[in-house]
Structure formats: structure tokens, C-alpha cells
């Protein structure tokens, strides 16, 4: 005799397939990661450029709400954000955003802090990001860049940063400062390094899958069902 | 209740911590399982598909495995393109993942339509005589006598379970020791499912693979971030291992859901031979499942398309 629970299970599965909602958008702060690019000005050796770009545009909405530029009800009680396509423009045009940028991103040349100014006007903040010029007291060969963007909103925000010659670093809570070589950096070789590591892991994984497959096949031949 | 965003966060921390710890793999596994438990990751689809196609345990494993493989591949390709080939200059990640959701939805629709067509054509040609040669050599130990109508020219239902990839003629493993007497019940509504190691499950695999690919196509943001972080920190190998483990966590959940569906549907099917009502129910279930899957896919495409207009 078939159990009612079993029938219910199958029925539920079928009905569930028809009515279940697809997954919601990725929750903060685990969407597209924010990025930073550090470079030295080609004409002025004492000026460092830092370009920041947000991960998801709705991160800008969250920031706009925090800076008082957007109404609070744009962030729902469950943490979801009501993003509108005008949000990046509102945030980018505000003085609050420029101040916030310079509070959360800092450059120092040795012990001396460099003076930052955000390039204006900021256009297409979500797409192209914003850049600040940091003028240092003397020509820069290496600089310390501190990045704490958005970590005040949620400490889990991370920033993936790139510098000259393929240098890379990940900023996160507890790792918010890093020294970059801006002149005379040797190629970091992260691409080659990654290729070797990934090939090794993929090779081993494929070998294991193949071995398991052959083992199962051999067992099937040897052991009669 | 376990907080899976905390798990994802912990996973990111561990990629930054020197050394390779077993804890990292445990967390990656749990994060993957948690990701699959969250709504909308193909569990209901998997269950519906396996119930609708009268799947077996092996099919559930195929489904879980294909999701894990596809997810790892997807994260790897997007992670490398994002890190080394300036993918983000070409397309925003949100747009890319939304396009992938459209593709995943279309794959689901294709699976649903394929199931519907297969089932409907199977019913219409239920007694179509399928003229494949059954020339395999039944070796010792096979009790052929008890298997009714297994002579030359038996009725195979084209398009039900035999249609794709069923290779009787070309020297398949058919001769190797399977017990035709155990459950080879051609008379009773052509059921091959119960304990009959025949290789008929090949016919379910195109659908299973489509669902698997669809389930793993859109990368989990947490897994993507782990790989990107690993690539940035020069720990690509470790990061990929974590992504693989994350995929295995997803696969185990989907496999578990698949097992429940398989157990449920095979119990119903077995009992259906006794009860007329249930016989009807099991005939309707595949149609319901196929329709449900098609509707789900259409819904997914619609929602992703609406979202696409918002993010583009």
C-alpha cells in the first residue's frame, strides 16, 4: 500500500516546480566585488591616481542611503535594496561622496600622507567609477594605499586591487593597507602562476574522475548484477 | 538556523589566511550546500524531473554531479575572464549573471518541452513495434524464462524510456550478467525502472544534463569571489579546490533531493500496478512534471528578462 506521504512528496515536487520562485538577486556584499586600480601619473611623478569602481550598482544605493542622499526606505527591513537607475548619478554628483571617497581611501609616500582630490565631474559612476588624484610631497617610487571603501556599511565588503606590472592585492577587514611599487616593479607573474596552479588542480581532478569512472566500469563487468 | 552569508564570509577570510586548512574545505562544502538549499537552485526541478521521468538513484547522482561540474566550470571561466581579461570593462557582472539566468531558463524550457514531447509521443505510439535487433548473447545465470515477451520483436515503447542512446544492437554490456527475470516486466506498462540494470537511464540523461547545466550555469557570487580573491592573492589552486568543494556541497543537496523524489516516485509506480487510480496518477505525473518544468523555465526567463531591462 502506498503511503500518503510518498504521494504527497511527488505531488509537492511537481507543484513546487510550477510555482517556486527563482532565486533573488545576490545579497550584499557578496555580489560583484568592488575594484581599485592604482597608478602613477605619466607626466607628474609625484601624483598617484586611484580609481575605484563599485561592484553592484545597488551598493551605490546603499551608500547613498548611508550618506543621507537617498531616502532610508530604499533599504528594506530584510536587507534588500530598492535600486533605481538614477541613484549613481545622485551619489556621484554629491560632495558627500567625494568626502567619503577621501576618508576611505588614502595614499601615503613613506610617512607623509598625500593630498587627495576627486576628479570632477563624475560621470557614469556605476559603470566607470571615480578617480582621485593624490599629490605627494616628492616623486613616488612606492606608495602605501589604504582602502576601506564600504566596509563601514558591512565589514564583509572586499576590494580587489591592481597596480603596475600585474601587482594585485585584496583589501578586507584587517588587511586594509598595502605597499605598491609604482616605479621599477617587476612583472608579478600572477597570470602564469595561476595557470600552473589551475592546470595542476584541474589535471588531478580529471584524473580522479577518470579513475573513479574506470573503477566503476570494471566493477560492473566483474560483478554480475 | 545557520547563517550562510556568514559561512561565505568565513570562506573569503580563509582564502586570505596562510596555509591550507581542512576547516576551509568544510566551510566551502557547507557554503555550497547552503547555497543549494536557498530557493531557486533547481531542487524542485530536479525532484519534478526525476519523479516525472521515473528516475533512479544513478540519475539523481548524474544530476548532482553535472550541477557541480558546470558550476565549477562557470566560476572558473568567469573568474579568469574577470581577473585577467578585463571582463568587467565589457559587461557588468550583474548583466552577465542575468544573461546567464536567461540562458538557464531557456535550457529549462527546452528540457520541459523535450520531456513533454517524449512523453506524449511515447503514449501515442505505445505499441509501436520497435525493430531493433536483440541479438545479444544472454550468458549463464540468466533466467530468461520468467521474463515475458522478451523474444525477438517485443514491443519497445519508442520515445518513452528507450528513445535516446539505447544501444541494444551494438554489442553493449547487455549480455553481462543482468538478471532479466528480476524486474523485466514488459507487459506491465513497460516499466524498466525497478532494479533492472539495463542502461535505459541513458534516455533520461539529456534532460538531466540540461537541468544540471542550467543549475550550475550562473555562478554563486560567493564562489566567484573566492576564486577571484584566490587569483588576486596568487592562491588560485587553493581557491579552485574550494570552489570544487563548494560545488560538491551543492551536488550533495541536489542528490539528496533527487533521492527523495526517486524513492517517492518508485514507490508510487510500484504500487500503481495494483490501484487503478494510482496507475492514472503515475501517467499524469510525467505530464504535470514536464509542464511544471516548462512553466518554471518560462517564468525564470521572464523574470531574468525584466531584470535585464533594469540593469542594462
Amino acid at each position: 500500500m502506498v503511503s500518503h506521504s510518498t504521494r504527497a512528496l511527488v505531488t509537492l515536487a511537481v507543484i513546487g516546480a510550477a510555482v517556486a520562485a527563482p532565486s533573488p538577486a545576490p545579497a550584499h556584499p557578496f555580489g560583484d566585488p568592488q575594484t581599485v586600480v592604482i597608478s602613477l601619473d605619466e607626466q607628474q611623478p609625484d601624483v598617484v591616481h586611484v580609481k575605484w569602481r563599485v561592484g553592484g550598482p545597488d551598493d551605490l544605493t546603499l551608500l547613498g542611503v548611508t550618506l543621507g542622499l537617498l531616502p532610508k526606505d530604499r533599504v528594506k527591513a530584510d536587507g534588500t535594496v530598492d535600486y533605481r537607475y538614477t541613484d549613481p548619478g545622485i551619489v556621484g554628483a554629491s560632495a558627500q561622496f567625494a568626502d567619503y571617497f577621501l576618508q576611505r581611501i588614502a595614499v601615503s609616500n613613506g610617512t607623509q600622507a598625500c593630498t587627495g582630490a576627486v576628479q570632477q565631474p563624475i560621470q557614469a559612476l556605476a559603470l566607470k567609477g571615480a578617480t582621485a588624484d593624490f599629490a605627494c610631497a616628492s616623486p613616488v617610487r612606492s606608495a602605501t594605499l589604504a582602502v576601506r571603501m564600504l566596509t563601514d556599511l558591512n565589514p564583509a565588503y572586499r576590494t580587489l586591487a591592481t597596480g603596475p606590472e600585474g601587482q594585485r592585492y585584496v583589501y578586507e577587514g584587517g588587511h586594509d593597507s598595502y605597499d605598491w611599487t609604482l616605479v621599477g616593479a617587476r612583472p608579478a607573474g600572477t597570470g602564469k602562476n595561476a595557470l600552473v596552479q589551475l592546470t595542476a588542480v584541474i589535471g588531478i581532478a580529471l584524473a580522479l574522475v577518470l579513475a573513479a569512472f574506470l573503477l566503476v566500469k570494471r566493477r560492473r563487468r566483474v560483478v554480475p548484477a | 538556523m545557520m547563517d550562510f552569508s556568514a559561512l561565505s564570509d568565513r570562506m573569503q577570510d580563509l582564502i586570505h589566511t596562510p596555509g591550507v586548512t581542512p576547516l576551509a574545505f568544510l566551510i566551502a562544502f557547507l557554503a555550497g550546500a547552503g547555497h543549494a538549499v536557498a530557493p531557486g537552485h533547481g531542487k524542485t526541478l530536479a525532484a519534478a524531473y526525476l519523479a516525472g521521468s521515473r528516475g533512479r538513484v544513478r540519475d539523481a547522482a548524474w544530476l548532482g554531479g553535472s550541477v557541480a561540474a558546470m558550476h565549477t566550470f562557470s566560476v572558473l571561466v568567469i573568474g579568469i575572464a574577470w581577473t585577467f581579461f578585463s571582463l568587467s570593462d565589457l559587461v557588468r557582472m550583474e548583466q552577465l549573471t542575468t544573461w546567464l539566468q536567461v540562458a538557464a531558463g531557456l535550457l529549462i524550457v527546452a528540457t520541459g518541452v523535450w520531456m513533454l514531447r517524449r512523453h506524449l509521443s511515447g503514449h501515442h505510439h505505445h505499441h509501436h513495434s520497435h525493430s531493433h535487433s536483440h541479438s545479444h548473447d544472454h550468458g549463464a545465470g540468466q533466467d530468461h524464462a520468467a521474463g515475458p515477451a522478451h523474444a525477438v520483436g517485443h514491443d519497445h515503447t519508442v520515445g518513452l524510456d528507450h528513445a535516446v542512446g539505447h544501444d541494444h544492437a551494438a554489442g553493449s554490456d547487455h549480455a553481462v550478467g543482468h538478471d532479466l527475470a528480476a524486474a523485466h516486466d514488459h507487459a506491465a506498462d513497460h516499466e524498466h525502472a525497478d532494479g533492472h540494470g539495463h542502461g535505459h537511464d541513458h534516455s533520461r540523461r539529456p534532460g538531466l544534463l540540461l537541468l544540471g547545466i542550467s543549475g550550475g550555469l550562473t555562478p554563486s557570487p560567493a564562489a566567484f569571489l573566492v576564486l577571484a580573491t584566490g587569483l588576486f592573492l596568487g592562491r588560485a589552486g587553493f581557491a579552485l579546490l574550494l570552489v570544487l568543494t563548494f560545488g560538491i556541497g551543492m551536488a550533495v543537496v541536489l542528490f539528496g533531493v533527487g533521492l527523495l523524489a526517486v524513492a517517492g516516485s518508485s514507490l508510487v509506480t510500484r504500487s500503481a500496478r495494483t490501484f487503478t487510480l494510482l496507475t492514472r496518477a503515475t501517467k499524469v505525473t510525467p505530464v504535470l512534471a514536464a509542464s511544471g518544468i516548462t512553466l518554471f523555465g518560462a517564468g525564470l526567463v521572464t523574470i531574468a528578462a525584466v531584470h535585464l531591462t533594469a540593469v542594462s
Side-chain angles (χ1 to χ4, degrees):
Chain A
M1 176 90 188
V2 64
S3 73
H4 287 285
S5 60
T6 312
R7 290 165 62 187
L9 178 74
V10 177
T11 313
L12 273 178
V14 174
I15 294 168
V19 300
S23 62
H28 295 274
F30 300 109
D32 197 2
Q34 53 181 342
T35 55
V36 152
V37 180
I38 182 171
S39 59
L40 194 62
D41 190 282
E42 288 178 2
Q43 262 82 50
Q44 301 166 278
D46 55 347
V47 174
V48 175
H49 301 298
V50 178
K51 180 182 175 183
W52 170 80
R53 192 163 71 170
V54 74
D58 46 358
D59 290 335
L60 284 177
T61 304
L62 196 63
L63 179 61
V65 170
T66 310
L67 295 177
L69 300 166
L70 298 170
K72 283 183 179 170
D73 61 4
R74 299 285 291 283
V75 179
K76 308 294 174 204
D78 62 358
T80 54
V81 174
D82 176 15
Y83 166 76
R84 300 195 188 155
Y85 70 94
T86 50
D87 293 349
I90 294 170
V91 174
S94 69
Q96 288 94 321
F97 172 71
D99 291 343
Y100 178 80
F101 190 118
L102 296 175
Q103 279 169 20
R104 310 301 295 182
I105 292 182
V107 175
S108 59
N109 183 12
T111 54
Q112 283 191 309
C114 305
T115 309
V118 176
Q119 290 180 4
Q120 298 287 352
I122 298 171
Q123 286 176 330
L125 177 61
L127 201 63
K128 295 180 180 169
T131 303
D133 304 328
F134 290 87
C136 304
S138 56
V140 182
R141 292 187 66 80
S142 63
T144 303
L145 172 65
V147 177
R148 293 178 293 122
M149 285 299 275
L150 307 184
T151 53
D152 53 333
L153 310 185
N154 188 323
Y157 274 109
R158 287 168 174 80
T159 307
L160 305 192
T162 48
E165 300 294 345
Q167 294 174 81
R168 291 174 200 279
Y169 189 69
V170 178
Y171 288 96
E172 60 179 14
H175 300 90
D176 59 6
S177 187
Y178 185 70
D179 296 334
W180 297 84
T181 305
L182 300 178
V183 176
R186 278 188 282 175
T190 42
K192 200 175 170 185
N193 177 19
L195 184 69
V196 171
Q197 290 188 36
L198 294 177
T199 307
V201 171
I202 292 167
I204 292 169
L206 286 180
L208 286 174
V209 169
L210 189 68
F213 179 74
L214 290 175
L215 198 72
V216 168
K217 206 173 176 187
R218 181 185 273 189
R219 268 196 177 178
R220 260 196 229 158
R221 283 206 179 137
V222 173
V223 183
Chain B
M1 189 179 155
M2 198 178 283
D3 184 356
F4 290 109
S5 64
L7 273 177
S8 300
D9 191 28
R10 188 86 185 93
M11 192 164 66
Q12 311 299 331
D13 286 343
L14 284 164
I15 194 88
H16 220 147
T17 310
V20 175
T21 57
L23 179 68
F25 292 101
L26 177 67
I27 287 174
F29 179 86
L30 291 175
H35 181 66
V37 164
H41 289 93
K43 293 177 302 302
T44 36
L45 285 180
Y49 184 85
L50 290 168
S53 65
R54 288 160 200 169
R56 303 187 321 163
V57 173
R58 196 183 300 168
D59 299 318
W62 262 91
L63 188 81
S66 56
V67 168
M70 187 62 210
H71 182 260
T72 307
F73 178 73
S74 180
V75 170
L76 187 63
V77 168
I78 294 174
I80 288 174
W82 193 88
T83 306
F84 296 114
F85 299 102
S86 305
L87 178 69
S88 55
D89 290 345
L90 300 175
V91 61
R92 279 212 322 269
M93 194 56 69
E94 199 178 3
Q95 284 172 308
L96 179 66
T97 49
T98 311
W99 273 112
L100 288 175
Q101 277 168 3
V102 171
L106 289 174
L107 282 175
I108 292 168
V109 170
T111 312
V113 170
W114 176 73
M115 280 177 79
L116 269 174
R117 280 194 60 186
R118 199 177 69 135
H119 184 76
L120 293 177
S121 65
H123 267 272
H124 290 151
H125 304 97
H126 201 69
H127 292 292
H128 168 76
S129 184
H130 182 38
S131 64
H132 68 239
S133 64
H134 216 86
S135 62
H136 56 268
D137 177 19
H138 288 285
Q142 293 198 1
D143 182 7
H144 213 113
H150 199 75
V152 174
H154 67 243
D155 281 352
H156 268 275
T157 309
V158 170
L160 188 65
D161 275 335
H162 281 279
V164 184
H166 179 59
D167 187 10
H168 266 296
S172 68
D173 292 344
H174 198 78
V176 186
H178 80 238
D179 185 3
L180 285 171
H184 201 81
D185 186 5
H186 276 269
D189 203 22
H190 207 87
E191 281 304 323
H192 282 284
D194 306 336
H196 173 48
H198 205 292
H200 291 186
D201 49 354
H202 284 292
S203 64
R204 280 183 288 267
R205 283 190 190 156
L208 280 172
L209 285 178
L210 278 178
L211 279 188
I213 289 169
S214 160
L217 192 64
T218 311
S220 143
F224 165 74
L225 201 53
V226 161
L227 188 70
T229 306
L231 288 168
F232 266 65
L233 294 173
R235 307 191 79 197
F238 180 43
L240 181 58
L241 283 173
L242 290 184
V243 172
L244 262 172
T245 314
F246 186 97
I248 292 168
M250 284 175 76
V252 166
V253 168
L254 289 173
F255 177 60
V257 172
L259 278 186
L260 283 175
V262 167
S265 72
S266 68
L267 265 178
V268 170
T269 306
R270 213 172 292 157
S271 311
R273 289 173 196 162
T274 324
F275 302 101
T276 321
L277 183 67
L278 276 177
T279 310
R280 281 187 190 163
T282 51
K283 280 182 180 167
V284 172
T285 305
V287 178
L288 272 180
S291 310
I293 286 170
T294 312
L295 279 176
F296 183 93
L300 196 67
V301 171
T302 310
I303 288 170
V306 168
H307 189 56
L308 204 57
T309 58
V311 298
S312 56

